[in-house]
Amino acid sequence: MNSPLRHSPAPDVLSRFAAIVGDKYAITDANDLAPHLIEGRGLYHGRTAMMLRPGSTAEVAAILKLANETRTAIVPQGGNTGLVGGQIPFDGELILSLQRLDKIREVDAQSNTMTCEAGVVLQKAQEAAAAVDRLFPLSLGSEGSCTIGGNLSSNAGGTGALAYGIARELMVGVEVVLADGRVMNLLRKLKKDNTGYDLRHLFVGAEGTLGIITAAVLKLFPRPRAIETAWLGVPSPEAAVKLLNLAQSQLAGTVTGFELMVRGIVEFALKHGHNVRDPLSSPHPWYVLMEVSSQQAEGLRDNVEEFLGNAIEQELVSDATLAANLDQANSFWHMRHTLTEVQKPEGGSIKHDVSVPVAAIPAFLAEASDAVVKLIPGSRPVPFGHLGDGNIHYNVSQPIGADKDAFLARWKDVNAVVDKIVLQHHGSISAEHGIGKLKRDSLPKVKDPVALSLMRDIKGLLDPNGILNPGKVL
Ligand code: FAD
Ligand code: 2HG
Ligand code: ZN
C-alpha cells in the first residue's frame, strides 16, 4: 500500500490552484500525469495529485503566491529529461509544468540575442537562431524535448560547451518568479551592466529550488561557414588528450566538439542503436568525435586533413574518417547521441557524471576502472563524455548475466570508489547534470562547508517556507 503523500494539498486548495490556470490546464488524470512522474532512466517514480500548466508569467506568479500562502510544495518541470531526479515530485508536490510558455519573444540578430520563454524546446531555439543566420550553440542528446528553462536551471553543458560555454555563459538576461510570487525582470540584452550584485546567475543551476525561470535572453553567435566532422580511432585516453591540445593549438579553425568514447559503449550502440554503423573498418580501444568550425568558407577541410596526417604520424590517431557530407556528419553525431539509450538493454547501469582537469583524465579512467572491476568483478565500465571539458560520464554496466537489482543495490558502493578517485584528482562529482535527488546526500561530503552554509542561507532567504522543489539539492 502507498504511504500517505507528505506534500499533498487539501481538495479546496487544489481547486484554488485549478482556478488560476483553468480546469483544462490543471491535470489530474492518472494517464495524463504518468509520463511526468517517471524520468528517462526509470530510476524514479513520483506521485502527485495535480500538474499545473500555466500559460503566462502572470499565471506562474499567481500559482507561487498561492503556494507560498498555503505552504504548498511545487516541483518545476520542463521537458522531463533531467538525469538526477530534480523534476520529479516524490511526495505529492504539485508539478508546475512550464511547457506552455513556449514563445520565442524576439530574435535580435544585430544584438546577437534571442528572448525565449522557459518552455521553448532547445531544438526550436536552435532553429530560430539558424533562421536569422545565427548559431545558438547549446547542444544535447535530449535537445528535441528539453527546454530552455530546464537547460538553465540545470546549467546544462553538452557537446558545444568546449567552444561556446555552458548554459550559464549563454544566458544574458532572465525573468524569474520568486517563491512569494514577485516577478524579477532582468530581461536585458546587455553584456555590461554593473548595477550592483549580479543576481541572474543564482537561478542558473539552482534546479528550481530558488525561483521559477519564466524567460531568458540568450546569446547568439555567427553561424560557422564551414564545419568538418571526424570520427577517429585512438589508442588511449593519453593520446586523446594530446590530440585535443594539438588540435587547439594547430588548427586554423575552432575545435567546437571533442567527445571521447570507449570501444565498449560504441559496441552497445552498434548492437542496440537504430541506424548505427561503425564508421571505421576495424575496432579501436577508444574513439574521438571531433568537430572543427570556421568562419572562412574555404580551406578548413585541407587544414583538418593536414592535421590528421600529422596526428597519425605522431601515433595519436590510429585511423580516421572525415565526414564526406552533412548526412555522414549527422550519422557520427547520431552514434554519439544514442549512447544514453543503448546502455538500457545491457541491464543495470550505475552512473557518474564527473569532471577532473583535462590532463588528469587518463589517470582517472585507469584508476576508476581498476577500482570498479575489483569491487564488482565482471562489471563493465563504459566511460564516454566531453573530453574537452574534462567531463566523463563514467557509467558502469552490470556483469553479463548478473541480477539487475542486486547490481543496482551496489550503487552507493560504486559511487564511493569512483568519487574518491575524482576527489583525489581535485574534480567534481557532478559536472553537468546537477545534484537533484540523486546526489543530494553526497553534496555535504564534497562541498566546502562555508559555501554549503551560504547556499542554505540563500535558500532560506529566497524560499523561507521551503515550497520550491523540497528535498532537491540541499
Ligand atoms: P527537466 O528535466 O524538466 O528539469 C531539470 C531541472 O530543472 C529540475 O530540477 C526542474 O525542477 C528544474 N526546472 C525545469 N524547468 C525549470 C524552470 N523553468 N524554472 C526553474 N526550474 C526548472 N545534460 C547535459 O548537461 N549535457 C548533456 O550532454 C546531456 N545530454 C543528455 C542526453 C540525453 C539523451 C538525456 C535524456 C539527457 C541529457 N542531459 C544532458 C540532461 C538533460 O537533458 C538536461 O539537464 C536538460 O537541460 C534538462 O532540461 P529539461 O527541460 O528536460 O528539464
Ligand atoms: C551525454 O553527454 C549526456 O550524452 C548523458 O550527458 C550521459 O547517459 C549519460 O550518462
Ligand atoms: Zn554529457
Side-chain angles (χ1 to χ4, degrees):
M1 207 181 76
N2 279 343
S3 53
L5 297 173
R6 197 156 65 93
H7 292 297
S8 209
D12 63 312
V13 175
L14 285 178
S15 306
R16 290 171 71 192
F17 279 110
I20 295 172
V21 291
D23 285 342
K24 184 176 172 199
Y25 296 117
I27 313 299
T28 52
D29 180 83
N31 289 329
D32 295 338
L33 287 173
H36 299 272
L37 294 172
I38 178 163
E39 55 80 67
R41 294 165 169 181
L43 287 179
Y44 298 118
H45 299 261
R47 292 188 289 164
T48 190
M50 187 178 275
M51 175 170 75
L52 298 162
R53 303 186 73 230
S56 66
T57 301
E59 285 185 4
V60 175
I63 290 168
L64 286 204
K65 189 165 183 293
L66 179 59
N68 204 36
E69 279 165 17
T70 56
R71 308 290 191 264
T72 304
I74 297 282
V75 175
Q77 192 178 92
N80 188 17
T81 68
L83 296 173
V84 290
Q87 72 280 17
I88 301 297
F90 284 90
D91 221 349
E93 304 91 324
L94 300 188
I95 299 177
L96 175 59
S97 166
L98 281 305
Q99 283 180 318
R100 283 183 64 226
L101 295 187
D102 61 355
K103 282 183 220 52
I104 297 180
R105 293 186 188 166
E106 189 199 28
V107 185
D108 179 349
Q110 294 301 308
S111 306
N112 277 308
T113 61
M114 171 167 68
T115 306
C116 289
E117 293 186 348
V120 170
V121 168
L122 173 55
Q123 196 173 325
K124 295 268 179 238
Q126 294 166 343
E127 287 165 4
V132 296
D133 200 25
R134 294 291 183 273
L135 174 75
F136 182 59
L138 188 66
S139 179
L140 318 176
S142 54
E143 63 200 20
S145 47
C146 66
T147 62
I148 295 300
N151 300 152
L152 292 171
S153 300
S154 59
N155 190 19
T159 55
L162 172 65
Y164 299 104
I166 53 179
R168 182 185 300 288
E169 291 154 283
L170 301 174
M171 188 196 78
V172 186
V174 71
E175 178 185 84
V176 180
V177 178
L178 301 178
D180 59 8
R182 282 179 298 162
V183 179
M184 185 177 76
N185 186 333
L186 296 175
L187 277 180
R188 317 279 290 273
K189 300 180 193 171
L190 307 175
K191 180 172 181 175
K192 294 189 167 180
D193 177 14
N194 277 350
T195 50
Y197 307 144
D198 189 346
L199 301 174
R200 297 169 303 168
H201 291 290
L202 269 182
F203 301 91
V204 180
E207 302 180 51
T209 62
L210 297 181
I212 307 295
I213 295 179
T214 44
V217 181
L218 304 172
K219 198 190 271 185
L220 302 181
F221 293 80
R223 231 151 63 96
R225 298 289 160 226
I227 298 180
E228 294 296 339
T229 312
W231 184 269
L232 312 172
V234 296
S236 63
E238 286 84 352
V241 169
K242 284 186 187 152
L243 186 71
L244 169 68
N245 282 280
L246 198 68
Q248 285 176 320
S249 68
Q250 286 190 3
L251 269 175
T254 309
V255 182
T256 45
F258 203 93
E259 299 287 312
L260 179 74
M261 289 152 273
V262 75
R263 171 72 191 172
I265 191 79
V266 169
E267 275 170 10
F268 288 2
L270 295 171
K271 199 158 136 202
H272 306 297
H274 297 289
N275 292 326
V276 175
R277 57 171 210 89
D278 197 336
L280 297 175
S281 51
S282 55
H284 297 270
W286 294 88
Y287 296 93
V288 165
L289 172 54
M290 181 177 82
E291 185 191 80
V292 186
S293 306
S294 169
Q295 291 309 322
Q296 308 296 325
E298 306 293 329
L300 184 64
R301 197 172 180 86
D302 291 345
N303 292 339
V304 174
E305 277 172 354
E306 192 186 324
F307 164 77
L308 289 176
N310 292 338
I312 289 172
E313 215 171 274
Q314 293 179 39
E315 298 182 353
L316 300 179
V317 169
S318 317
D319 197 4
T321 176
L322 200 50
N325 50 42
L326 190 60
D327 276 354
Q328 213 180 358
N330 287 342
S331 79
F332 296 171
W333 279 112
H334 171 63
M335 162 90 88
R336 168 63 186 87
H337 285 318
T338 202
L339 300 183
T340 297
E341 219 37 51
V342 298
Q343 293 166 68
K344 290 180 191 165
E346 292 288 331
S349 168
I350 297 177
K351 316 285 185 185
H352 310 84
D353 160 42
V354 304
S355 61
V356 294
V358 174
I361 283 181
F364 162 73
L365 286 170
E367 290 162 22
S369 293
D370 279 356
V372 165
V373 174
K374 197 161 148 212
L375 184 72
I376 307 185
S379 62
R380 295 169 294 160
V382 281
F384 63 95
H386 319 289
L387 179 91
D389 306 325
N391 177 189
I392 297 293
H393 300 303
Y394 194 85
N395 294 340
V396 184
S397 280
Q398 67 173 65
I400 293 168
D403 179 75
K404 181 175 172 181
D405 290 338
F407 176 71
L408 290 179
R410 308 290 308 274
W411 190 292
K412 287 200 166 147
D413 303 337
V414 178
N415 282 179
V417 301
V418 173
D419 290 353
K420 188 171 165 211
I421 298 165
V422 169
L423 297 177
Q424 280 164 356
H425 288 287
H426 310 289
S428 167
I429 64 158
S430 177
E432 60 171 7
H433 296 162
I435 297 294
K437 169 95 166 168
L438 185 69
K439 297 180 183 172
R440 182 190 168 211
D441 294 342
S442 305
L443 188 63
K445 296 178 205 152
V446 298
K447 196 84 183 171
D448 171 78
V450 177
L452 191 62
S453 125
L454 208 51
M455 280 170 66
R456 292 202 171 103
D457 291 347
I458 291 169
K459 170 74 176 171
L461 181 75
L462 289 177
D463 181 21
N465 297 319
I467 60 159
L468 289 175
N469 222 351
K472 313 290 169 50
V473 184
L474 291 171

